[in-house]
Amino acid sequence: MNIIEIKDLSFSYLEDKPVLSNVNLEIKKGEWVSILGHNGSGKSTLSKLIIGLLKADKGEIVVDGLTLDEETVYEVRRKIGIVFQNPDNQFVGVTVEDDIAFGMENLCFEREEMIKRIDEYATKVNMQDYLKKEPHNLSGGQKQRVAIAGILAMNTDIIIFDEATSMLDPKGRDKIMEYIKEINNEGVTVITITHDMKEAVHSDKILILKEGEVLAFGKTNDILNDKDTLNSSNLELLLPLKLLYKIEEANINNQEIKDILWQLSLNE
Amino acid sequence: MAIKFERVNFEYISADGSSFKALKDINLEISDKGEFITLIGETGSGKSTLVQHMNALVKPSSGEVTVYGIKIYNDIKKKDRNVKLNPLRQKVGLVFQFPEYQLFEETVLKDIIFGPKNFGVKEAEAIERAKEIIKLVGLDESYLKRSPFNLSGGEKKRVSIAGILAMEPDILVLDEPTSGLDPKGRDALLELFTSIHNELDKTVIIITHDMNTVYKYASRVLVMSEGELVFDGDPLKLFTKKNLIDWNLDLPEIIQITRQLEDKLNIKINKLPRNVDELFNIVKGVL
Amino acid sequence: MKNIIIGQYIPGLSFLYKMDPRSKLIALMLLMVSTFILQNVFHILVMLSLVLIMLKIGGIEIGRIARGLRPIMILLIFTFTFQILFVKTGSLLYELQLDFSVYNILIAVGLFIVFLFTRKFMRFRLLYFLVIAAAIMTLFSLYSPGLYLGTRNIQIHTDGVSGAFFIMIRLIIIVTLSTVLTLTTKPTDLTLGLEQLLKPLSIIRISSEEIALIISISLRYIPTLLDEANKIMLAQASRGVDFNEGKLKDKVMQIISLLVPMFIISFKRSDELANAMEARNFVPGERRTRLHVLLWSRIDTIVIIVSALFVAGSIWVVVVW
């Protein structure tokens, strides 16, 4: 069953400069889809459209059977959580526990339930010892973990990570990736938006955006095999993949090394 | 030596009274004769504090930093009332991580000439410099008339770098210049630094988290860990050291893949490759 | 720079900490009213001693309160001097004749200049100022050689003295009480308390919840903004903006170079923050539940009753005596 269906979606801020044109996308329940593109490819605009922060010029977005419009937008938002790029600009609460509670407060959760869930999800992202801490005493990675806990606590079916790791250092980035894998394994539909192919290879499917258009969409393995598309995407190829392509070009027929490089590309 | 650190310590006193040592006993020499240095280490290891000592934005709690012959120590302002630290900032140009911290004028041109004018360069000459430098940073002259706020992230970064380059510093220091950029933007910027380094013969110091940058570009690498300078030397030497993990550092991708191939193919590669082509040749030779 | 404490809250365990912020706010109001009802220096002294007893029971160090008084020290000294010098009712207590002449004015000016240049080396500047002021007074009353210019009499009357003490004590009480409030209440609780107390304003279409949300978001971002301002200052200093050594005419440009980035960053931030809040199902004006609830306990009722009785007592004292 498709939890998200996007049909012929177009959007522009200025009339003659389309940011997204005719985007089609179907995401199944429980899938992990990466939206991959360079800066300015329109990938973050797409996430804002899905959650109704921007209004499409053309096309349709259906989330869990609900067609997104002015009336359904609040209901759609209850199904989707989103972690944004800048850790500092999405931390609403004065303390960690206040921030985790913010979404639940808006959804009118009972106080006892909130306390229970704060405890549960703070522990899940390993922030249980920081509940009373203020944001300026936390690192960027810790703030992003708090944001994740706040969304998990709302029990949404879908979580979008909109370049959520791009302002973090490598250690913070790896931690967030681990939590994303875990969340997806527990059945939550995940969309990660990134320009880093290394992050994208972990997902089930990859959508490549180039200048607002869908360049390719398919299973991760198929996308990685599609040399021509990748080369035209302006994205940086993974190193083992580059080597693999070189070996194929030189007509070296050694299946062992090809298999090894393929595994390394998938980060297995 | 252009910059010399001698037993430099730096300590914060926070509002709750506890103190935090950001730098511990740093000894370091940097010349202005065309070095390409990368400075790496975990978040909070003292990298930014270290570079802020290089142009006297902060003064050491103890020890001294000598920048172009001027000794900077803790109570310099009390001992020597006439000392001017401002001119040092022209010699050592520091570009901050976010261009948003520095851009404020109506046009790119005005923003670029702001620095030079502060150091007493005549407006006409500053404008001449701006016209050259905007091309140097990979933008064309039409950008000079535009507002710095309507540019893309990568363009803003270039303008902010142009604003520092226009001061004609001998040493250019950049705090995480490539963070938030996509791979293409990152590579273009790193090529820019290489050409500044090669053609203008300036020393370039880059703070980064990206080991690929260190391996590909740097002639020297400094590693900070918990306020200490734990490594100062050749990048290749660093990446063959055993204690990388203690400093929470990764290997560059190319070395990672080489090591994994060695492991899986059961071979020994003596000379580490610098890029994919070299690795390809090695692999071809082995097969 | 990493550890900025918002507000003055210092954790503690006394009854003041156990109180509901609403009752603290109400009690503060009531006691402030009392200070304005009381008109006599002895009555207000009684009140001051009661306040001091409260501090003792509440386990609050006098030193902390003194620090709260420091910013209004100038105001205190000014009102005190003003009252003493210009109130001419009651009986005459003391009279000082000041003779002005060219020489003693010159010496006084000289002393003052010496004061201006030496004060930064003194530990107790206020005391130093008082000593210099006293020295100048003494000079005028005792030594007046050279060309004689005129005479002024300083007269101190009983009403002036009592009035000066009265006003000073009243100010001290008000500042002490408010300091006690901010010392013992977390900014978040204070905001919540204010929100509840301002609820009746919804009649005139002012939403106390929104006001409270605005205050709490501001509180959350103050340290971030300070940190950012510091970084912007360093970034501009790197471009030769000399915030310490610069000339006056450059000051305007320096301030602009600081303010413009601050504004631009803040606009972008508020935009992103609004998005993040909406994405987490925030709808302005809609009902929300709250993680923090205020709990009214017996202490609160007692404190309110005591404060109300105190107001009644003050009125009784003023009317009957």
Side-chain angles (χ1 to χ4, degrees), chain C residues 164-294:
Chain C
F165 275 105
F166 174 77
I167 290 187
M168 207 166 83
I169 293 169
R170 179 192 271 171
L171 278 173
I172 289 175
I173 289 176
I174 290 173
V175 173
T176 305
L177 290 174
S178 352
T179 312
V180 167
L181 178 74
T182 50
L183 275 179
T184 60
T185 322
K186 282 187 210 152
T188 37
D189 290 341
L190 203 55
T191 327
L192 204 56
L194 264 176
E195 178 187 333
Q196 307 272 315
L197 288 178
L198 292 179
K199 266 217 169 114
L201 286 181
S202 62
I203 300 168
I204 51 168
R205 289 236 181 124
I206 294 173
S207 158
S208 63
E209 283 188 21
E210 277 172 33
I211 296 174
L213 191 66
I214 292 167
I215 298 176
S216 83
I217 288 179
S218 314
L219 285 174
R220 178 252 172 275
Y221 277 100
I222 287 171
T224 312
L225 285 174
L226 286 178
D227 192 42
E228 217 152 56
N230 182 47
K231 280 188 188 144
I232 294 170
M233 229 157 107
L234 291 178
Q236 300 299 22
S238 291
R239 295 209 288 169
V241 174
D242 199 335
F243 291 97
N244 300 320
E245 296 160 6
K247 293 184 213 88
L248 195 63
K249 72 170 170 92
D250 300 329
K251 284 278 181 239
V252 179
M253 205 56 175
Q254 292 177 1
I255 290 165
I256 292 174
S257 76
L258 197 63
L259 283 183
V260 173
M262 287 285 287
F263 271 112
I264 303 253
I265 293 171
S266 301
F267 280 135
K268 189 170 174 241
R269 161 165 301 138
S270 55
D271 191 44
E272 288 185 9
L273 188 65
N275 276 340
M277 286 168 72
E278 272 195 70
R280 282 205 264 165
N281 303 295
F282 177 74
V283 183
E286 288 289 300
R287 196 180 86 86
R288 315 173 62 215
T289 49
R290 303 303 285 273
L291 174 64
H292 294 289
V293 288
L294 299 174

Side-chain angles (χ1 to χ4, degrees), chain C residues 60-72:
Chain C
I60 292 176
E61 289 169 52
I62 302 288
R64 297 237 171 251
I65 302 290
R67 241 166 281 170
L69 284 171
R70 202 180 286 163
I72 64 152

Side-chain angles (χ1 to χ4, degrees), chain B residues 39-51:
Chain B
L39 173 54
I40 57 179
E42 277 185 283
T43 309
S45 59
K47 303 186 297 291
S48 295
T49 314
L50 184 75
V51 297

Side-chain angles (χ1 to χ4, degrees), chain C residues 1-39:
Chain C
M1 274 167 267
K2 273 256 141 76
N3 276 303
I4 303 153
I5 293 173
I6 318 171
Q8 300 170 288
Y9 176 74
I10 291 163
L13 293 166
S14 74
F15 80 97
L16 289 166
Y17 288 90
K18 295 194 180 96
M19 279 172 70
D20 186 311
R22 285 171 295 184
S23 64
K24 281 194 242 186
L25 281 163
I26 296 171
L28 177 71
M29 296 292 180
L30 290 172
L31 293 177
M32 282 209 190
V33 167
S34 277
T35 62
F36 283 96
I37 294 171
L38 294 173
Q39 295 298 335

Side-chain angles (χ1 to χ4, degrees), chain A residues 22-267:
Chain A
N22 297 314
V23 172
N24 285 289
L25 173 64
E26 284 176 3
I27 298 175
K28 292 198 174 64
K29 204 170 165 55
E31 260 183 344
W32 176 356
V33 175
S34 289
I35 298 176
L36 194 57
H38 53 87
N39 283 1
S41 60
K43 54 192 193 304
S44 286
T45 308
L46 187 57
S47 74
K48 285 196 186 117
L49 285 164
I50 295 174
I51 201 160
L53 290 171
L54 293 171
K55 206 172 158 292
D57 301 336
K58 197 169 90 35
E60 194 181 52
I61 298 171
V62 183
V63 178
D64 202 11
L66 275 174
T67 306
L68 181 70
D69 60 33
E70 270 152 43
E71 267 154 42
T72 57
V73 64
Y74 299 115
E75 212 172 322
V76 167
R77 279 183 195 158
R78 285 171 194 235
K79 298 176 188 295
I80 310 176
I82 179 163
V83 183
F84 291 96
Q85 179 181 24
N86 192 327
D88 246 323
N89 296 356
Q90 58 184 317
F91 202 108
V92 187
V94 179
T95 62
V96 168
E97 59 174 7
D98 284 307
D99 193 65
I100 298 177
F102 182 75
M104 293 191 282
E105 290 177 330
N106 295 329
L107 295 174
C108 295
F109 276 61
E110 292 298 325
R111 186 165 176 264
E112 286 68 35
E113 182 66 20
M114 281 198 253
I115 293 169
K116 211 185 98 206
R117 287 186 179 214
I118 288 171
D119 191 54
E120 181 183 346
Y121 292 104
T123 309
K124 190 169 175 87
V125 297
N126 211 359
M127 289 295 289
Q128 69 277 17
D129 299 333
Y130 295 84
L131 288 181
K132 304 279 179 198
K133 289 264 189 233
E134 288 154 358
H136 57 271
N137 294 320
L138 304 178
S139 72
Q142 289 174 324
K143 281 180 219 170
Q144 293 301 66
R145 274 146 64 191
V146 173
I148 293 174
I151 284 160
L152 289 175
M154 293 191 293
N155 243 344
T156 59
D157 305 323
I158 307 159
I159 302 183
I160 303 176
F161 293 86
D162 187 350
E163 300 198 60
T165 60
S166 77
M167 290 178 79
L168 308 182
D169 64 6
K171 218 170 106 194
R173 195 171 301 176
D174 292 348
K175 263 225 172 88
I176 299 293
M177 285 312 288
E178 274 168 38
Y179 289 123
I180 296 179
K181 276 182 215 163
E182 205 180 310
I183 291 163
N184 179 243
N185 283 338
E186 284 161 13
V188 178
T189 310
V190 169
I191 303 174
T192 46
I193 292 174
T194 176
H195 57 235
D196 193 350
M197 203 175 283
K198 234 193 205 145
E199 287 185 9
V201 293
H202 299 292
S203 57
D204 304 317
K205 285 183 180 171
I206 294 179
L207 174 104
I208 301 180
L209 271 183
K210 190 189 175 191
E211 276 136 34
E213 289 178 44
V214 177
L215 189 70
F217 178 50
K219 289 219 170 73
T220 302
N221 278 6
D222 298 342
I223 297 283
L224 291 188
N225 263 324
D226 190 351
K227 192 165 83 182
D228 296 333
T229 310
L230 283 183
N231 278 332
S232 68
S233 69
N234 268 340
L235 292 162
E236 183 177 57
L237 293 186
L238 295 163
L239 212 133
L241 207 57
K242 267 190 215 165
L243 191 59
L244 180 62
Y245 289 169
K246 269 187 187 299
I247 286 173
E248 281 174 357
E249 267 167 40
N251 281 323
I252 297 170
N253 276 319
N254 182 321
Q255 202 52 44
E256 190 195 357
I257 187 133
K258 283 188 189 172
D259 288 344
I260 291 171
L261 287 172
W262 183 250
Q263 276 170 17
L264 289 178
S265 304
L266 290 174
N267 216 344

